[in-house]
Amino acid sequence: MSADADKGSFWDHLDALRGVLIRIAVVTLVCGIVAFIFKEELFRIVFAPKDASFVTYGWLEKLGGLFSSAEATDFSVQLINTGLAQQFVIHVKTALCAGFLCASPYILYQLFRFVSPALYETERRYAVNVVGSGYLMFMAGVLVSYFLVFPLTFRFLGTYQVSGEVENLISLDSYMGTLIMMCLAMGIVFEMPVVCWFFAKLGFLTSEFMARYRKHAIVLILFVAAVITPTSDVFTLLAVSFPMWLLYEASILVVRSAQRIKSPEAEIAEC
């Protein structure tokens, strides 16, 4: 193949990548604009964990009623705004985050369409499984944070008082920052089984190794949970570290299963 052909092929790929990025940006922007327009519905979802009527608190009350006859305590936390343009800026940022989240399946589809022609059939099948599993695990982490970790953290810290004379007024920026950070952190943490499976397929990780160093992993999980949590209280630390420990145990089973299955490189070599 000539140098001109190679150069033309490179620019063709670059032009295709630019088209993919433009389509991704347009779809994400459109989804963000739709989310921006439906402001009431968007922030009804965002602010739901701060209300005592949130579904998680109802589940906890029913669960507590099985073991105790004590009445559930109601709570109320008020959000305040401390900046002139802060509410508008947060509205825009939240709409863009919601737009990106809604457009994420399309984004993955476009990126896979761009990369897949360079993959073997076996590699393509593994890529679909890895990317699909990774996306589902990330969304599962976001949902766990939204429905479990963040509500428990907010209820504990939002109602905690050193004295009855001190009233809690949580800033809007603090609420949104904590919510987004915890959802993002839990989404990344939930990628643990996928990452462990990938390392196992490469031969870098075994289930025996993970089981042998389980105690060390628990200490590391507590350290990571302390780093990614925006607060320093023990309650939030345990709320974040417990799902991480369950993921570690699940990762051991995933790695054990991966060790019994041939890697894509081995399958290609046999073809």
Side-chain angles (χ1 to χ4, degrees), residues 161-254:
Q161 292 177 290
V162 294
S163 171
E165 299 179 358
V166 182
E167 184 179 358
N168 287 331
L169 297 175
I170 311 300
S171 70
L172 177 62
D173 183 62
S174 174
Y175 178 91
M176 294 299 302
T178 304
L179 175 62
I180 294 175
M181 181 61 66
M182 294 191 74
C183 287
L184 180 61
M186 289 303 297
I188 295 174
V189 166
F190 265 64
E191 298 294 329
M192 186 189 304
V194 179
V195 174
C196 290
W197 179 89
F198 182 73
F199 284 160
K201 301 301 292 185
L202 295 177
F204 297 154
L205 190 63
T206 64
S207 58
E208 293 78 12
F209 176 85
M210 296 182 68
R212 188 183 311 119
Y213 290 95
R214 180 182 278 109
K215 294 181 180 179
H216 301 78
I218 293 176
V219 175
L220 181 61
I221 285 172
L222 291 173
F223 174 77
V224 173
V227 172
I228 65 176
T229 49
T231 58
S232 58
D233 63 288
V234 177
F235 182 85
T236 305
L237 178 65
L238 294 178
V240 174
S241 58
F242 181 71
M244 293 174 65
W245 171 73
L246 292 180
L247 285 173
Y248 184 83
E249 296 297 331
S251 298
I252 295 178
L253 300 178
V254 170

Side-chain angles (χ1 to χ4, degrees), residues 11-12 22 25 87 115 144 259:
W11 289 111
D12 287 342
I22 290 176
Q87 291 203 53
V115 176
V144 168
Q259 289 175 278

Side-chain angles (χ1 to χ4, degrees), residues 27 34 38 41 51 149 155 191 199 260:
V27 172
V34 172
F38 291 93
E41 291 76 9
D51 296 327
V149 178
R155 180 170 184 172
E191 298 294 329
F199 284 160
R260 306 192 192 103

Side-chain angles (χ1 to χ4, degrees), residues 112 116 118-130 197 201 261-271:
F112 181 76
S116 60
L119 302 177
Y120 291 103
E121 183 63 30
T122 308
E123 291 176 331
R124 191 177 297 114
R125 187 172 68 252
Y126 272 89
V128 170
N129 292 335
V130 171
W197 179 89
K201 301 301 292 185
I261 305 175
K262 296 179 180 179
S263 65
E265 292 79 6
E267 292 185 4
I268 294 173
E270 292 179 358
C271 295

